[in-house]
Amino acid sequence: MKHLLSTQDLSLDEAILVLDTAAQMAATQSREIKKLPTLRGRTVVNLFFEDSTRTRISFETAAKRLSADVINFSAKGSSVSKGESLKDTALTLHAMGADAVVVRHWASGAPHQLAHSGWLGSGDSPVAVLNAGDGTHQHPTQALLDAFTIRRHLVGRAGGATGDGVGRDLKGLRVAIVGDVLHSRVARSNVQLLRTLGADVTLVAPPTLLPVGVETWPCATSYDLDETLAHWAPDAVMMLRVQRERMSGGAGAFFPSPLEYSRRYGLDHRRLAMLPGHTVVMHPGPMNRGLEISAEAADSTRSVIVEQVANGVAVRMAALYLLLAGGSPAEGSAI
């Protein structure tokens, strides 16, 4: 891999390589000294044109755990607010010797433009570009950390087994993704990656929050959450944040009221009790407690939401390692 732009670009072998490498990275994080010398002397730039807390901090933590030098760039308060273009920003970063650029942008396609425009180096020595979320398009490291979490719980620990399910895919598992699919890059990334890994996916949402053309996606769709939980019995339920900031007319433009949305599509005590005993509850965060998920569901023993955050560091360490230090597994290397 030269870049990580979309889960659609990952083959089954590449996806498993990232997950296996993340398992090795996660193992190092239980050591007394968590820092590895692997990327010493390399420079990673976090280029964020959109507000973010957990993703930026997660990438920053991952790069620092690998001993890379980290530069954080926020569009607010920078030359971008004075009208500087994406191209000129990229040329500046390249001139300063960046080895990898982690980019989050409000426009779909911005990371692809950076990776293939030539602004960040020639074809012989390109700067690695990692997509940290672009518009409503893709968020590949979020999907990889979700898959890593699912594999740990439902493959690695199935039947009392130990380990993280290293080397295994997700074939046969059922994942329900519930909520605001229309505005969700997390949903798009997950559908593609989970299908590559062999899982079956059902999207559950009101008709107004499913995108045009969703019937061509490699998944099923449903408007009825109760029916999906009762008859399909998912192994993992992934609740999506209702992205009210992307709804130009306010929440009422896409559903009648928050109360009605919560009653029809929220994960509450009653629906939590409908889930099979092994099913895990997921959310990419930040959560709207009381809207798409109740506090009881978010804090239940089934919830792996906090673990998703921790796994995000290991997955991003793996992505940076594979892009900057080569494509071989981490075991036996300088780690």
Side-chain angles (χ1 to χ4, degrees):
M1 293 189 299
K2 291 183 178 179
H3 309 287
L4 180 56
L5 303 176
S6 166
T7 54
Q8 198 166 15
D9 300 334
L10 293 173
S11 66
L12 175 59
D13 289 343
E14 288 173 332
I16 289 177
L17 174 62
V18 176
L19 299 183
D20 288 352
T21 306
Q24 296 177 35
M25 294 295 177
T28 69
Q29 299 309 293
S30 60
R31 299 175 183 171
E32 183 177 355
I33 298 176
K34 298 179 174 62
K35 202 163 184 176
L36 306 172
T38 314
L39 297 185
R40 183 176 294 158
R42 303 294 188 95
T43 300
V44 176
V45 177
N46 289 326
L47 182 60
F48 277 59
F49 290 84
E50 258 191 351
D51 292 338
S52 169
T53 301
R54 71 192 65 214
T55 302
R56 184 186 61 75
I57 292 175
S58 183
F59 267 110
E60 181 177 354
T61 302
K64 287 181 175 177
R65 294 273 169 86
L66 293 171
S67 299
D69 298 318
V70 179
I71 298 172
N72 289 316
F73 176 96
S74 174
K76 288 182 179 176
S78 73
S79 295
V80 173
S81 61
K82 301 175 184 176
E84 183 174 84
S85 67
L86 180 62
K87 177 180 180 179
D88 288 332
T89 301
L91 292 174
T92 299
L93 296 176
H94 185 239
M96 291 182 175
D99 295 295
V101 174
V102 178
V103 59
R104 186 185 190 100
H105 203 286
W106 52 266
S108 300
H112 185 275
Q113 178 79 3
L114 275 178
H116 298 289
S117 61
W119 302 336
L120 287 172
S122 64
D124 295 332
S125 57
V127 174
V129 176
L130 292 89
N131 185 356
D134 61 328
T136 58
H137 178 223
Q138 279 281 316
H139 196 350
T141 55
Q142 177 68 46
L144 285 161
L145 77 86
D146 291 338
F148 182 78
T149 305
I150 291 171
R151 192 174 74 162
R152 269 191 137 181
H153 277 270
L154 300 176
V155 178
R157 300 172 190 172
T162 58
D164 294 327
V166 172
R168 302 276 299 277
D169 58 24
L170 304 180
K171 189 173 183 180
L173 293 181
R174 290 179 285 198
V175 182
I177 301 177
V178 185
D180 185 2
V181 177
L182 178 65
H183 302 102
S184 178
R185 52 198 174 206
V186 173
R188 288 166 174 79
S189 302
N190 264 293
V191 167
Q192 291 165 349
L193 180 64
L194 291 170
R195 285 301 301 151
T196 298
L197 290 167
D200 294 319
V201 181
T202 293
L203 299 174
V204 186
T208 52
L209 288 177
L210 285 172
V212 173
V214 72
E215 64 275 6
T216 65
W217 294 17
C219 62
T221 59
S222 171
Y223 305 142
D224 193 326
L225 179 55
D226 286 330
E227 182 182 77
T228 301
L229 298 184
H231 301 296
W232 198 56
D235 301 294
V237 177
M238 188 182 301
M239 306 306 296
L240 298 174
R241 183 172 69 87
V242 176
Q243 300 188 43
R244 286 179 283 194
E245 75 278 10
R246 296 185 191 274
M247 298 178 183
S248 57
F254 288 85
F255 45 81
S257 71
L259 179 59
E260 180 168 327
Y261 180 89
S262 181
R263 285 178 174 171
R264 295 203 59 188
Y265 296 99
L267 186 62
D268 55 12
H269 172 75
R270 181 179 65 82
R271 292 190 173 114
L272 201 61
M274 295 171 64
L275 300 177
H278 66 279
T279 302
V280 296
V281 173
M282 311 177 73
H283 194 299
M287 294 181 282
N288 294 311
R289 288 179 182 245
L291 183 55
E292 70 263 8
I293 188 169
S294 68
E296 183 177 7
D299 299 330
S300 73
T301 55
R302 295 170 177 273
S303 171
V304 295
I305 296 169
V306 175
E307 186 181 327
Q308 287 176 265
V309 178
N311 291 340
V313 175
V315 164
R316 284 156 183 144
M317 288 175 71
L320 288 167
Y321 171 81
L322 292 170
L323 288 172
L324 293 180
S328 58
E331 195 65 40
S333 70
I335 294 173

